[in-house]
Amino acid sequence: MSQRFYENLVEPILKEHFPDLSYTACRIGLGSEVLGYDTEISADHDYGPCLQVILAEERFPAAAVQIMDVLDSVLPATFEGWAVHYPTNVRPPKRVCLAPITALKSTRLLLGAIVF
């Protein structure tokens, strides 16, 4: 679902509003959607489309706020019937997270990852 979310919504928005932006989109985490174990039960908590957009360190400070402002104003409330914002305070409220590439250095490699 996260790959479809990226391909159908996030990628076209980024291309339209930031045509020269260089980035990587992926899904990093411990969730069942990353590890390939989705079931009906896994949809009972904070389930839905989610991805990370990784930017070059030097580009991050200038671009991050602009990108999130555009995504906040253009993304619909739902995708395939699932909320685009998390319904609880367990995670950050947005399902699209931006990070500089250096943030990956501090992330433990025990996490799963899917690069779109």
Side-chain angles (χ1 to χ4, degrees):
M1 175 190 307
S2 292
Q3 184 166 358
R4 292 188 306 275
F5 177 58
Y6 168 72
E7 291 172 349
N8 294 319
L9 290 178
V10 177
E11 182 180 33
I13 292 168
L14 293 177
K15 282 183 178 181
E16 178 182 344
H17 293 273
F18 306 97
D20 298 324
L21 182 67
S22 179
Y23 67 91
T24 296
C26 55
R27 177 67 182 106
I28 300 171
L30 296 171
S32 59
E33 71 277 13
V34 175
L35 301 173
Y37 300 122
D38 273 340
T39 67
E40 289 183 26
I41 294 173
S42 67
D44 71 348
H45 57 282
D46 294 330
Y47 185 78
C50 184
L51 62 98
Q52 291 77 32
V53 175
I54 310 299
L55 303 173
E57 183 72 26
E58 63 275 3
R59 187 76 197 253
F60 185 80
V65 172
Q66 292 174 323
I67 293 168
M68 290 311 296
D69 285 347
V70 167
L71 291 173
D72 284 345
S73 67
V74 177
L75 283 173
T78 62
F79 176 73
E80 295 184 2
W82 296 97
V84 171
H85 288 77
Y86 284 108
T88 69
N89 62 2
V90 174
R91 300 183 186 181
K94 298 175 181 12
R95 292 197 188 259
V96 179
C97 299
L98 296 177
I101 190 70
T102 53
L104 296 180
K105 292 178 184 175
S106 64
T107 302
R108 296 181 183 205
L109 295 179
L110 297 174
L111 302 175
I114 301 170
V115 178
F116 306 130

